[in-house]
Amino acid sequence: MRRFVAERAERLITRIVSHSSSHSHSPSSSYSRYPFLASSQIQSLFLFSSSPSTSMGSSSESPHPVTLTNINPKVLECQYAVRGEIVTQAERLQEQLKRNPESLPFDEILYCNIGNPQSLGQQPITFFREVLALCDHPNLLDKSETGKLFSGDSIQRASQILSQIPGRATGAYSHSQGIKGLRETIAAGIEARDGFPANANDIFLTDGASPGVHMMMQLLLGSQQDGILCPIPQYPLYSASIALHGGTLVPYYLDEATGWGLEIAELKNQLETARSNGITVRALVVINPGNPTGQVLAEENQRQIVDFCKKEGLVLLADEVYQENVYVPDKEFHSFKKIARSMGYGEKDIHLVSFQSVSKGYYGECGKRGGYMEVTGFGSEVREQIYKVASVNLCSNITGQILASLIMSPPKVGDESYDAYCAERDGILSSLARRAKTLEAAFNNLEGVTCNKAEGAMYLFPRLHLPQKAIKAAEAEKVAPDAFYARRLLQETGIVVVPGSGFRQVPGTWHFRCTILPQEDKIPAIVDRLTNFHKKFMNEFRD
């Protein structure tokens, strides 16, 4: 087509030449091949010959139909610091290390930026993987040697799960809410955990917790006049999804001085301020255990939150993906559904959505993309709309669905895999607790750094009290001071952390989030590198 168009342009030029032979023109440096043509004619011919269309293009059309000026502004507003600029730089440095291992002052990149346990060496739970393998390759169940390679209860569980899947095919679509038998298993697990009934019809299986959050934002946010109360600091999923779906984030600040406490007075103040500004607040997000802050809510505090949502007519969005990650003896996890039911609030009394994921806990199956949300308190007509949104994606992946059922129904006493399962689970959780304690102590030993106790989740969120000279140096580079610190930390040590500014924070304070996930034998090296860097940094920028 381009050749055809070019030939037409050449013939047109020839005709113009024959009609213009009596004319004399001074050649132009830009158009010396055809000096007799006006520049506008040349431009038209160029557009014609370079266009994939046979129709003449307009010289005003942009050669780049998609630019930052015309894409959806909601996408521009969306930010996700966990995989932001610092991580991009870390990936470049990692490639540099591969090409030239001696070119940097460190020999490896230590990713402490994201809750991705298996990428840092955590091993999967054997029972879970045995069941997945048998489900994905059911012909193994007919092999005589399978009984020698797989535990008896994994064979039994895989057979049970396959009987619940139409066609015994993990490569086929399922019901849009998820396989009914798996949802029944999850509901039974929730009931055993909480001591209150759960219904499989309330369960929506999702590709991790994040799609469930997006689904609820789609449901609740109709315009910028709709707001969601979110904790600050917050996991960037919430600010990003609110931006993408066109709503308004209404911040409420956790109290760092009281161990990242959630104060009801702060919730009331922020709610009233938002309403006075014309914002209709639709829901309250609570992350428990906290991300990035690592606190575990007290039961009485949870009761206050439930009462607040009931009184103010708010949907309670409970992010409970770290429910297995509690490291202190004086705290324990209670689901918000358990709290609400124990207070006497029934199915019709409060709108509650709880999120769970196979990515966290002791399982760390991030890449399998499994999770669920339990939706309670919504009327049947609204439930139909939630189901419709779920149906747009056809279904979540089957491997993740199976895993979600397994984490809510692991091996039990008497099962062949029980002892090995407990050893693997307890080994991972106790190691995480030790790592959290070691890093917490290391941060608190640094000049100008304070770090609250790591009660749960997978992160520490230390505060940086930076010298004014460092703050001014950051301003000169047009970056936030904690981003300036994190960038220097990466460049000099290979340690990747996320600046606190990526999670939002009280103005004038600076933090960074560091995971506790590097393997335990690497923690001393991280502490040494960080300590040496910090001393050098503080000496360089000391006022």
Side-chain angles (χ1 to χ4, degrees):
M1 176 62 73
R2 289 181 180 273
R3 180 179 177 184
F4 169 75
V5 171
E7 289 174 351
R8 286 191 60 188
E10 291 287 350
R11 288 198 295 271
L12 179 59
I13 290 171
T14 302
R15 287 200 299 270
I16 296 173
V17 169
S18 64
H19 286 89
S20 308
S21 58
S22 61
H23 296 272
S24 175
H25 295 274
S26 299
S28 161
S29 60
S30 300
Y31 306 108
S32 57
R33 185 177 177 188
Y34 305 112
F36 45 84
L37 293 178
S39 61
S40 60
Q41 291 176 295
I42 289 290
Q43 290 167 358
S44 296
L45 288 170
F46 173 78
L47 286 168
F48 183 92
S49 61
S50 62
S51 171
S53 170
T54 57
S55 62
M56 186 71 74
S58 167
S59 61
S60 63
E61 291 178 357
S62 169
H64 304 292
V66 181
T67 68
L68 290 180
T69 62
N70 62 17
I71 65 172
N72 187 340
K74 296 173 186 175
V75 174
L76 292 175
E77 184 182 350
C78 169
Q79 302 291 330
Y80 191 69
V82 172
R83 291 179 183 259
E85 180 251 338
I86 298 291
V87 180
T88 301
Q89 185 180 5
E91 291 167 347
R92 288 196 296 266
L93 293 177
Q94 189 165 29
E95 289 300 315
Q96 182 178 335
L97 280 175
K98 289 180 182 179
R99 294 191 305 270
N100 186 358
E102 307 298 325
S103 63
L104 294 171
F106 45 84
D107 56 4
E108 67 176 326
I109 301 294
L110 295 168
Y111 287 96
C112 300
N113 62 297
I114 193 168
N116 193 13
Q118 292 185 26
S119 73
L120 295 172
Q122 180 174 307
Q123 295 302 300
I125 300 298
T126 302
F127 174 78
F128 295 169
R129 286 300 183 91
E130 286 189 355
V131 174
L132 290 181
L134 292 167
C135 286
D136 276 338
H137 194 22
N139 289 344
L140 291 174
L141 294 170
D142 301 324
K143 305 288 185 181
S144 59
E145 60 267 33
T146 297
K148 299 176 182 178
L149 298 172
F150 294 82
S151 64
D153 54 338
S154 68
I155 293 172
Q156 182 181 11
R157 183 71 68 90
S159 298
Q160 176 191 2
I161 290 172
L162 285 168
S163 71
Q164 299 168 341
I165 302 176
R168 294 165 58 88
T170 60
Y173 291 133
S174 77
H175 186 280
S176 292
Q177 249 182 280
I179 296 164
K180 181 68 178 292
L182 301 182
R183 287 187 281 124
E184 289 173 343
T185 298
I186 291 169
I190 293 172
E191 188 168 328
R193 180 195 68 192
D194 294 344
F196 292 95
N199 189 329
N201 292 326
D202 293 337
I203 307 297
F204 287 76
L205 292 170
T206 54
D207 290 328
S210 299
V213 171
H214 280 289
M215 205 179 303
M216 294 313 301
M217 295 305 174
Q218 284 179 304
L219 182 79
L220 296 171
L221 299 174
S223 72
Q224 285 190 326
Q225 302 310 116
D226 292 321
I228 306 289
L229 273 162
C230 289
I232 302 298
Q234 53 97 37
Y235 177 46
L237 164 66
Y238 292 97
S239 55
S241 61
I242 290 169
L244 285 173
H245 297 296
T248 295
L249 186 149
V250 179
Y252 67 89
Y253 290 91
L254 302 176
D255 185 4
E256 187 170 10
T258 60
W260 300 111
L262 195 166
E263 303 294 335
I264 298 301
E266 169 69 4
L267 288 179
K268 290 179 179 177
N269 180 56
Q270 296 295 346
L271 177 64
E272 291 170 3
T273 299
R275 285 174 173 170
S276 68
N277 290 326
I279 302 297
T280 301
V281 180
R282 308 298 308 280
L284 167 68
V285 171
V286 180
I287 308 174
N288 182 46
N291 178 9
T293 46
Q295 85 283 9
V296 179
L297 292 176
E299 187 174 354
E300 178 56 31
N301 198 189
Q302 289 185 264
R303 292 177 181 274
Q304 295 171 343
I305 292 165
V306 169
D307 271 336
F308 175 78
C309 288
K310 171 64 177 174
K311 178 182 177 182
E312 301 295 345
L314 302 176
V315 178
L316 177 52
L317 301 176
D319 183 332
E320 299 176 336
V321 303
Y322 297 101
Q323 58 190 257
E324 302 278 2
N325 301 104
V326 179
Y327 310 124
V328 289
D330 58 329
K331 292 283 185 75
E332 61 180 311
F333 169 79
H334 299 285
S335 76
F336 271 99
K337 183 185 171 191
K338 174 184 176 181
I339 295 296
R341 296 294 180 266
S342 69
M343 295 171 67
Y345 291 127
E347 171 73 23
K348 297 181 180 180
D349 294 323
I350 187 168
H351 287 42
L352 172 63
V353 184
S354 304
F355 303 99
Q356 169 63 315
S357 170
V358 308
S359 301
K360 310 304 177 186
Y362 57 87
Y363 8 93
E365 295 279 12
C366 301
K368 299 298 184 184
R369 306 312 300 136
Y372 68 81
M373 62 179 184
E374 184 185 17
V375 180
T376 58
F378 292 78
S380 59
E381 292 181 350
V382 175
R383 291 285 293 272
E384 288 174 5
Q385 299 304 309
I386 299 173
Y387 176 75
K388 179 176 68 177
V389 173
S391 300
V392 171
N393 291 323
L394 296 176
C395 70
S396 59
N397 81 85
I398 305 303
T399 296
Q401 292 190 32
I402 295 170
L403 264 172
S405 76
L406 294 175
I407 69 170
M408 296 305 291
S409 182
K412 295 174 176 58
V413 175
D415 291 344
E416 182 181 337
S417 296
Y418 180 74
D419 289 342
Y421 158 77
C422 288
E424 291 175 344
R425 177 198 64 193
D426 296 346
I428 290 169
L429 291 174
S430 60
S431 177
L432 287 172
R434 290 192 297 270
R435 286 177 253 176
K437 188 174 182 180
T438 299
L439 286 170
E440 174 195 318
F443 289 138
N444 281 317
N445 283 332
L446 299 178
E447 178 189 358
V449 177
T450 54
C451 184
N452 279 326
K453 193 172 186 179
E455 297 179 341
M458 295 178 172
Y459 317 100
L460 292 160
F461 200 62
R463 180 174 176 180
L464 296 167
H465 303 266
L466 296 174
Q468 281 300 313
K469 190 175 177 182
I471 293 173
K472 290 179 180 178
E475 291 172 351
E477 294 191 14
K478 297 182 179 179
V479 296
D482 47 16
F484 177 76
Y485 182 93
R487 184 187 294 176
R488 290 282 297 266
L489 177 66
L490 169 62
Q491 292 168 345
E492 297 184 29
T493 70
I495 298 173
V496 188
V497 298
V498 187
S501 46
F503 299 90
R504 306 196 183 193
Q505 53 199 339
V506 172
T509 66
W510 313 109
H511 302 78
F512 63 86
R513 189 186 78 166
C514 177
T515 73
I516 60 173
L517 293 175
Q519 289 300 289
E520 202 163 356
D521 61 357
K522 290 185 181 292
I523 297 297
I526 291 174
V527 171
D528 286 344
R529 290 191 198 184
L530 179 64
T531 301
N532 292 333
F533 163 79
H534 188 79
K535 288 179 179 177
K536 179 182 174 184
F537 182 92
M538 295 298 284
N539 286 333
E540 178 182 351
F541 293 102
R542 196 173 303 280
D543 294 330

